[in-house]
Amino acid sequence: MDPEKNPDWLRMRELAALLRQYNHAYYLQDLSLISDQDFDRLLQELEQLENKYPQWVEDDSPTQRVGGGVMAGFETREHLRPMLSLGNTYSEEDLQSFHDRCCKSLGFNPQYCAELKIDGVAISLHYLNRKLEYAVTRGDGLRGDDVTTNVRTIESIPLLLSPTAPAEAMEIRGEIYMDRSAFEQINRNKRELGEETYANPRNFASGTLKLLDSKQVRRRKLSALCYQLDGDFEFLQGKARHHLRMDLLAAWGFPVSDHRIGPSSFEEVLDFIHCWHNGRAELPFDIDGVVVKVDDFGQREELGYTAKSPRWAIAYKYPAQSVQTILHHVQFQVGRTGVITPVAHLQPVEVAGTTVQRASLYNDAEIRRLDLHIGDTVHLEKGGDIIPKITDVVKELRPAGAVRVGFPDTCPECGTTLVGHDALHYCENHRDCPPQILGRLEHFVSRKAMNIEHLGPETLSALLQQHIIHDAADLYALTQEQLSPMERMGERNRTRLLQSIEDSKKTPFEKVLFALGLRGIGEVASLTLARKFQNMANLSTATREELMRIHEIGEKSADQILAWFADPLNQSLWARLASQGLSMTYRSRTSPSSSAFEQGIHAVMEPRPLENKKLLVTGRFEHVDRETLKQRIEDAGGTNLSSISSKLDFLVAGAEAGPSKLRKAEELGIRLLSEEEILKILQGNSTREP
Ligand code: IVH
């Protein structure tokens, strides 16, 4: 019998058409044509018929958008190509320099495309045979979470492409976001129920995408816009220009923003940016700027990439939100390299969705530029990134007799006279200044360095105070007996710690080098140095000229390397570490990430928004489990503490956080972070992409 004549077939088509219509009205027109209960009833009927007649299930059936059951967590997937971030700027001068650089490298004026920079979460969509196969978040740029089940529930993402689309495997990238009106409705409901509201649509969209119950995701009305189709397939012959590919995406059924221009001149791009500066308030969703991209793919190749981002594109960000607050005092913090950083302690104030009560003042010059006095009313700005900045002082509001902020002459921790280099002040008492010793050890054991587990800052600090250790090499001589007087460290923990120290001896040379914490030598430079010089002995005798021949090593870094090796304290440290069995010789590996590096595909360095920050995670979280959250904090450079003390920078308080912890944090003036806030920080600009 012809399926068309079968009443079940007819009912299936009817149900699908009805459900599509209700979905469309609900998600795109904000109309509820049917109650949730009735919707679910129709959907169930369709599901039952589909189970009976699997041969008649349409690839884009409304049942496919419902999502599966509740998942235990997300699998991760490696990106076919790293998901890079974009260089960004808030100034037109920088934009002009970007254009000048492009012109200079290419030898002519390129044409650009300009698009809105949607303030959401990046997503990579994979299609095969025109069907959505899987969807992955940006993650760390190399691997992301497989959020396919959730993405399937997003109405504007096609599950099945138009027949004009190619059947080949394709990857399309875009942004998932939430309309302001849908977000505001959710917050209105929360307010009415007396519940805490969500910070902003981007956080909410990002949290939603990570929900384990995809039915809940469906209810939250996420949207998407696509902005990237890479690859040089046969079917893309003659389409090596961005604007042509955007047109293709639209024709195949992808949501693509109409608010874009290109191919256009640089002047037209500037007009577009000016036009959307005020126009953005009228948009139904948040944007944080405009993305400018070279149109032609051949020209893109020529311009190339930096370690983090393409040289052929830039994000112009609209000015940040600004608020006023009061400066209470300035604290001078000592870092592990001895650098002194002034930190402003402020009257807590809400800016761009988070409460801010501290801001870095960077250096003495910045304090003088601001002519800062205690009690001053200051303007605080927070851009797309999480770092708040004091931009200026409202001099008219300065209290009478206010004391000017001055940079100390001596180290606030050990009293040594400070020394100035390159606009920064240092305490050069590296051997004995307590925060430097502790900072170096914290860095040494950290995950990206020696990855010694079960050795938090508190234990390190106690080991130092009790003179059990003095430097990193002493860790390798630790015994059960030495550890036994330590508080909160039973035999099992002691054994685990000693095992972790032992295991760390297998850490590859480039990480050992990074762990030693030479000033200005990060992960990438450590790897380059390890490759170039092969072992510590060669590196220790390298000349300034040899060092400077390396791409990433400038004059200052070269001098710092030379100074590090000239210090007898360091010479004895690495000699002892070597004798304890740590690797001082480079061994090349062919793991996927290092081979990608080898081939010149640049490593993606995540921003580390929590570098040197100490956090305590407490309570229950809605969008992540506690252990994952702690891991992500460490990945972002933060350290998890296990109890509240004045050393803590943030108390991350989930639902049902203990009232005594909250009270103690308040007494100590420790900043509280909500789940939304910490997730926003971790998302960085990735999302930084986090
Ligand atoms: S192009 C190589 N276009 O902004 C990176 N990105 O800071 C190519 N974004 O991770 C990205 N709207 O999540 C591009 N029209 C747009 C965008 C856009 C938003 C986000 C995206 C990216 C981040 C870069």
Side-chain angles (χ1 to χ4, degrees), residues 406-417:
F407 214 92
D409 297 324
T410 56
C411 173
E413 301 282 346
C414 71
T416 304
T417 303

Side-chain angles (χ1 to χ4, degrees), residues 114-175:
E115 295 160 8
L116 302 181
K117 187 173 181 322
I118 300 124
D119 198 8
V121 189
I123 192 79
S124 149
L125 304 168
H126 292 256
Y127 287 80
L128 180 64
N129 292 325
R130 303 187 188 87
K131 278 192 248 168
L132 177 66
E133 282 277 291
Y134 61 92
V136 193
T137 61
R138 179 174 185 274
D140 65 0
L142 297 175
R143 291 188 82 87
D145 286 328
D146 183 332
V147 288
T148 315
T149 319
N150 288 345
V151 165
R152 281 181 165 281
T153 69
I154 301 173
E155 189 63 17
S156 54
I157 293 185
L159 300 178
L160 186 66
L161 302 181
S162 92
T164 55
E168 278 89 339
M170 289 193 294
E171 185 201 4
I172 283 86
R173 290 181 179 173
E175 199 83 353

Side-chain angles (χ1 to χ4, degrees), residues 185-386:
Q185 180 63 48
I186 287 164
N187 265 355
R188 257 197 304 280
N189 293 345
K190 291 224 118 199
R191 232 171 269 126
E192 272 165 24
L193 293 170
E195 292 174 11
E196 208 182 313
T197 52
Y198 296 103
N200 57 46
R202 183 170 69 123
N203 275 351
F204 192 63
S206 146
T208 302
L209 213 51
K210 299 280 175 63
L211 288 175
L212 294 173
D213 178 0
S214 52
K215 289 220 168 70
Q216 233 182 310
V217 181
R218 183 168 74 93
R219 276 183 229 120
R220 287 194 177 180
K221 294 192 183 180
L222 295 180
S223 304
L225 283 170
C226 295
Y227 52 69
Q228 197 172 340
L229 166 64
D230 284 338
D232 46 4
F233 304 97
E234 189 113 326
F235 62 85
L236 288 174
Q237 287 248 315
K239 305 277 184 197
R241 298 181 69 174
H242 182 67
H243 76 280
L244 297 176
R245 293 192 176 201
M246 293 293 276
D247 293 343
L248 274 182
L249 287 180
W252 293 342
F254 286 98
V256 168
S257 170
D258 293 333
H259 305 308
R260 62 193 156 98
I261 56 163
S264 303
S265 67
F266 182 66
E267 289 66 35
E268 286 166 329
V269 167
L270 287 180
D271 287 345
F272 181 82
I273 287 175
H274 297 151
C275 161
W276 283 107
H277 189 149
N278 295 326
R280 67 188 163 138
E282 309 294 318
L283 285 167
F285 47 81
D286 284 347
I287 62 167
D288 55 347
V290 165
V291 182
V292 183
K293 308 168 179 182
V294 168
D295 187 34
D296 186 279
F297 279 46
Q299 294 167 14
R300 287 184 177 189
E301 275 304 295
E302 238 171 278
L303 292 166
Y305 296 81
T306 69
K308 285 198 231 170
S309 50
R311 288 206 171 87
W312 44 260
I314 191 166
Y316 173 84
K317 298 238 194 145
Y318 289 119
Q321 212 180 305
S322 170
V323 293
Q324 278 191 6
T325 187
I326 307 229
L327 174 72
H328 286 330
H329 73 278
V330 175
Q331 179 197 2
F332 291 87
Q333 286 182 351
V334 187
R336 72 176 158 85
T337 59
V339 68
I340 312 288
T341 309
V343 178
H345 287 239
L346 306 159
Q347 172 90 34
V349 64
E350 178 96 1
V351 50
T354 44
T355 309
V356 173
Q357 60 183 4
R358 286 190 213 180
S360 174
L361 290 162
Y362 307 103
N363 53 36
D364 188 21
E366 180 69 1
I367 294 178
R368 280 189 272 121
R369 179 186 77 79
L370 293 165
D371 181 29
L372 214 53
H373 287 58
I374 300 300
D376 266 347
T377 299
V378 295
H379 278 128
L380 187 76
E381 266 191 10
K382 200 154 145 282
D385 44 352
I386 61 139

Side-chain angles (χ1 to χ4, degrees), residues 520-521 525 544 547-561:
I521 306 299
R544 194 167 187 264
L547 290 167
M548 279 176 55
R549 246 177 264 141
I550 298 172
H551 187 60
E552 285 103 331
I553 307 292
E555 215 168 295
K556 277 186 211 146
S557 301
D559 286 342
Q560 267 149 18
I561 296 171

Side-chain angles (χ1 to χ4, degrees), residues 453-467:
E453 289 169 1
H454 319 293
L455 193 51
E458 294 202 337
T459 312
L460 281 174
S461 172
L463 288 168
L464 284 170
Q465 269 168 21
Q466 293 169 35
H467 305 288

